[in-house]
Amino acid sequence: YVQRTFSDKINATFDFIKENWKILLKTTTYLLLPVSLVQGIFTGSVMSMAGLLYNPAFQSQINRGEFPIDWMEFGINYIGLMLTAFIGQFLLLSLVYTLLKTYNEREEGLKGVTLSDIKSPLMGNIGRCFIMFLVTILLCVGTGIVLALLTVITTFTLILTMPALIVFCIPLSLWPAVYLMEQNSVFGALGKSYRLGLATFGGVLAVYLVTAILASVIQGVFS
């Protein structure tokens, strides 16, 4: 692992993207386009049904306690939207870290690499992403139970627990990198992400904020 200054981290990130944007774009399109098309169908249905609730023509029905949409159909479409979003996230995380690992292991980097060349490690990372997702759900449920019990005792605990929760969430941004780039167990990777993340908390937070802002701008433009 290379030790870099904050500006060097940002530069290394953009250098990697500039050097490999073609393979990144091509493999991302091949992998995510089918999921995105299905997600688009669910998104269109959810948005059109949600739009009915704000349509003046249906306001009188809503005021009478009637609803102009089929809630079963809305629920199915919303679940489909969330499911395809999670699948897309799994695929994207798996692909990016598979490409990063391949880039580090080959002298020529990603030159000439195709999806068929990385199929085996990609499938392995997709499985690891799913395991990480299940563990994340367990952690969220456990954290929610603890917070609820503390709130029952007194709501003043939120003054301490909520900031602490935010602080302890920052190192989690390293968890996918540690778990997908190394051959650690899911809990071993979680522990290492906290050791590294808390030791370099300011740098992790700064990089996360900068990249999140840039990603939001780019996403907004394309949206």
Side-chain angles (χ1 to χ4, degrees), residues 124-212:
N125 272 347
I126 291 173
R128 291 168 79 83
C129 267
F130 183 68
I131 293 173
M132 189 167 60
F133 172 69
L134 294 179
V135 174
T136 301
I137 291 177
L138 292 176
L139 291 174
C140 290
V141 171
T143 303
I145 291 173
V146 172
L147 289 176
L149 291 175
L150 290 174
T151 304
V152 168
I153 296 173
T154 172
T155 55
F156 288 109
T157 58
L158 294 176
I159 298 175
L160 297 176
T161 55
M162 293 309 295
L165 184 62
I166 294 172
V167 169
F168 277 90
C169 281
I170 299 301
L172 282 178
S173 60
L174 298 181
W175 190 18
V178 176
Y179 187 47
L180 299 179
M181 294 285 284
E182 300 179 358
Q183 296 302 313
N184 291 319
S185 67
V186 63
F187 289 107
L190 179 61
K192 187 170 184 178
S193 70
Y194 271 103
R195 289 196 302 273
L196 294 174
L198 292 176
T200 58
F201 185 85
V204 172
L205 177 60
V207 170
Y208 178 83
L209 290 176
V210 170
T211 53

Side-chain angles (χ1 to χ4, degrees), residues 23-46:
I23 182 68
L24 286 167
L25 179 62
K26 184 166 65 174
T27 53
T28 301
T29 301
Y30 287 161
L31 200 62
L32 293 184
L33 185 59
V35 180
S36 297
L37 292 174
V38 176
Q39 188 183 42
I41 296 173
F42 288 124
T43 302
S45 298
V46 169

Side-chain angles (χ1 to χ4, degrees), residues 103-115:
Y103 176 82
N104 288 332
E105 292 174 348
R106 298 171 83 244
E107 290 186 7
E108 62 273 29
L110 296 179
K111 186 177 181 181
V113 169
T114 63
L115 268 178

Side-chain angles (χ1 to χ4, degrees), residues 43-58:
T43 302
S45 298
V46 169
M47 295 300 291
S48 62
M49 285 188 229
L52 290 176
L53 298 177
Y54 298 96
N55 190 324
F58 296 101

Side-chain angles (χ1 to χ4, degrees), residues 8-9 49 72-73 89 121 123 133 144 157 159 186 208 218:
D8 287 338
K9 291 173 186 175
M49 285 188 229
M72 178 67 72
E73 183 182 356
Q89 187 69 17
M123 295 303 296
F133 172 69
T157 58
I159 298 175
V186 63
Y208 178 83
I218 295 171

